[in-house]
Amino acid sequence: MNLVIFKTAALLILSNCFMTYAWYGHLKGLKTAPLFIAVLASWGIAFFEYMIMVPANRLGYGGGLALGQLKIMQEVITLCVFVPFALLFMGEKWRWDYLWAFLCIVGAVYFVFRDKA
C-alpha cells in the first residue's frame, strides 16, 4: 500500500504542476492575448494533466485508496504546488493564510487516513 501511495502521489504532483500552470499561467504569460488563445493554450496544457491524473487516480483507487483519500491527497498536493507557483512564478506576496489553509488540510488528511478500528 505504501508504494501505491508513493506512486499515486508522484503522479498527482506531476499532473498538478500541469494543472496549476494551465489554470493560472496564462494570467502572466498570455495576459494580453485574446481570451480564446488563453483558453486553447490552457486546454492544451490541461490535456497533459489529464493524461497523468487519470492513471494516478486509477492506480490509487485500484491499489486500495478510498475516493476521499484520493481527493484529500490531491488537495494537499494542490496547495503544495500552488503556493510556490504563486510566490516564485507569479510574484505574489507570502500570506500567512497559506499556512493556516495547509494546517486545515493536514487535519483533513488525519481524518481520511486514520485507522477506524
Side-chain angles (χ1 to χ4, degrees), residues 74-96:
Q74 177 64 38
E75 294 305 324
V76 169
I77 290 167
T78 296
L79 197 53
C80 289
V81 169
F82 177 77
V83 171
F85 176 85
L87 297 174
L88 301 173
F89 183 77
M90 296 296 291
E92 296 282 319
K93 301 267 189 270
W94 168 258
R95 295 180 50 202
W96 283 102

Side-chain angles (χ1 to χ4, degrees), residues 1 26 36 39 53 62 65-68 100 113:
M1 177 71 138
H26 64 87
F36 78 94
V39 169
M53 183 266 306
L65 289 170
L67 194 59
W100 310 137
F113 280 94

